[in-house]
Amino acid sequence: MEYVLIITIAIVIFSLIFDFINGFHDTANAIATAVSTRALTPRTAIFLAAIMNFVGALTFTGVAGTITKDIVDPFKLQNGLVVVLAAILAAIIWNLLTWYYGIPSSSSHALIGSIAGAAIAAQGFGVLHYQGFTKIIIVLIISPIIAFCVGFIMYTIVKIVFKNANLTRANRNFRFFQVFTAALQSFSHGTNDAQKSMGIITLALIVANIQDPSNVEPALWVKVACATAMGLGTAIGGWKIIKTVGGNIMKIRPANGAAADLSSALTIFVASSLHFPLSTTHVVSSSILGVGASNRAKGVKWNTAQRMIITWVITLPISAILAALIFLVMNIFL
């Protein structure tokens, strides 16, 4: 029993560390456009994002339930605590590596791939909950495409509506509007990304027989702890990724920045309401690409986009392999 308790506590601690890292790793997604257009100062933007991430994390819990039960079946998971611990460690390592090199990779891909990889190393492919896992992968694949299309359409509408507007006045108004869209996007980020650590902790509590298996709703203390960790991480900021998202994809103006923010926030809200975990990184970057393509395709720095897409593709398999290796090593000692 003491062994189970120690590993469970370790999972809780590392899950909160993951949320903290997720906060500063993905902060750029919510505020990069607002900072790059000078709608908000960096300090104000981060403060706003921290608060809205915290509120969003407490508002939705459906995504947490999906992470708890739809990747692997908690009832069939053998040596489950070691599997979960290996998964969260692998996701943290990958997040730190991509943050260090300023690459806006997906925390969601890293976590989902890590859970699957560690579980497969423990019990083989049969342990995966294929119906739920397939649904998650499909959403991860199509959500950037949807975000790109929404961004393209959104900015096309903006161009038509404001075709004859005074440019200086329009930019001033859009900068003001970006305060709202940055807050909305930060809130939506909390509704989806913070739920993943809640799901991991809930999965560990069920495996450890601490929480009733019939209840996949995160406990109140889990919600508050994860929301706080993400809020604190957001307060640290992620300037390397802000530079990539906010300037290295395309030159962002207030109008297209607001359109990109609104497009990604709407996409994330729909996914959260349907309990689908998606990559906020993918969605935000794809929205910016869609807006850029609508504005002027030649103005998009497609080489940066290509580097990002490669990272998106390799994150899930690499994190799965990394988690599998960590599990095999840990299993020798634990």
Side-chain angles (χ1 to χ4, degrees):
M1 184 64 187
E2 184 179 346
Y3 162 84
V4 170
L5 185 61
I6 290 172
I7 295 184
T8 304
I9 292 172
I11 290 170
V12 172
I13 292 172
F14 281 113
S15 294
L16 295 179
I17 291 173
F18 176 81
D19 246 350
F20 178 84
I21 294 170
N22 189 299
F24 73 72
H25 188 276
D26 290 356
T27 297
N29 301 332
I31 63 174
T33 58
V35 171
S36 66
T37 61
R38 299 181 183 178
L40 290 168
T41 63
R43 182 174 296 182
T44 303
I46 287 178
F47 180 72
L48 176 67
I51 293 175
M52 298 308 295
N53 260 326
F54 179 84
V55 175
L58 292 177
T59 306
F60 286 73
T61 57
V63 173
T66 299
I67 294 294
T68 301
K69 61 183 176 58
D70 281 7
I71 301 175
V72 295
D73 190 336
F75 302 104
K76 296 180 180 178
L77 200 57
Q78 298 172 9
N79 208 0
L81 290 177
V82 180
V83 168
V84 176
L85 183 57
I88 197 69
L89 287 173
I92 287 172
I93 291 170
W94 181 251
N95 265 1
L96 287 174
L97 281 173
T98 52
W99 166 81
Y100 180 80
Y101 289 104
I103 302 170
S105 70
S106 168
S107 299
S108 304
H109 278 210
L111 186 59
I112 291 166
S114 295
I115 295 171
I120 291 169
Q123 289 176 248
F125 286 91
V127 72
L128 293 181
H129 193 294
Y130 278 98
Q131 183 178 357
F133 186 65
T134 302
K135 177 182 68 176
I136 291 171
I137 296 301
I138 290 173
V139 172
L140 289 176
I141 292 172
I142 67 171
S143 55
I145 299 171
I146 293 172
F148 180 93
C149 294
V150 173
F152 188 95
I153 294 168
M154 186 75 71
Y155 191 66
T156 301
I157 294 171
V158 169
K159 285 193 299 183
I160 294 171
V161 172
F162 294 93
K163 179 173 61 176
N164 299 318
N166 178 277
L167 182 60
T168 302
R169 183 179 300 173
N171 278 338
R172 188 185 309 120
N173 291 336
F174 273 112
R175 280 196 181 94
F176 179 77
F177 185 60
Q178 270 196 286
V179 177
F180 167 76
T181 58
L184 186 67
Q185 189 160 221
S186 298
F187 178 81
S188 68
H189 176 260
T191 67
N192 203 284
D193 270 26
Q195 307 303 312
K196 290 150 194 170
S197 288
M198 294 183 197
I200 283 287
I201 293 174
T202 303
L203 175 60
L205 295 176
I206 290 174
V207 171
N209 293 318
I210 296 173
Q211 181 165 321
D212 182 359
S214 63
N215 176 28
V216 296
E217 176 77 12
L220 179 60
W221 71 266
V222 175
K223 296 178 188 177
V224 173
C226 289
T228 302
M230 177 159 283
L232 290 173
T234 301
I236 300 299
W239 301 116
K240 291 184 178 183
I241 296 173
I242 284 177
K243 183 179 178 181
T244 299
V245 175
N248 286 353
I249 297 177
M250 58 174 281
K251 187 170 182 60
I252 297 177
R253 305 292 186 187
N256 50 38
D261 287 350
L262 191 58
S263 300
S264 53
L266 288 173
T267 305
I268 296 168
F269 271 134
V270 171
S272 296
S273 64
L274 296 174
H275 304 173
F276 290 147
L278 48 67
S279 167
T280 54
T281 306
H282 291 199
V283 167
V284 173
S285 301
S286 297
S287 295
I288 295 174
L289 288 170
V291 167
S294 174
N295 180 38
R296 191 168 67 91
K298 290 184 178 179
V300 177
K301 298 175 183 177
W302 294 106
N303 58 335
T304 300
Q306 183 181 24
R307 184 167 64 98
M308 289 165 52
I309 291 170
I310 291 171
T311 308
W312 296 349
V313 171
I314 66 174
T315 291
L316 200 146
I318 287 181
S319 58
I321 293 169
L322 181 60
L325 292 173
I326 292 174
F327 170 81
L328 293 173
V329 172
M330 290 176 62
N331 197 45
I332 295 173
F333 301 100
L334 301 177

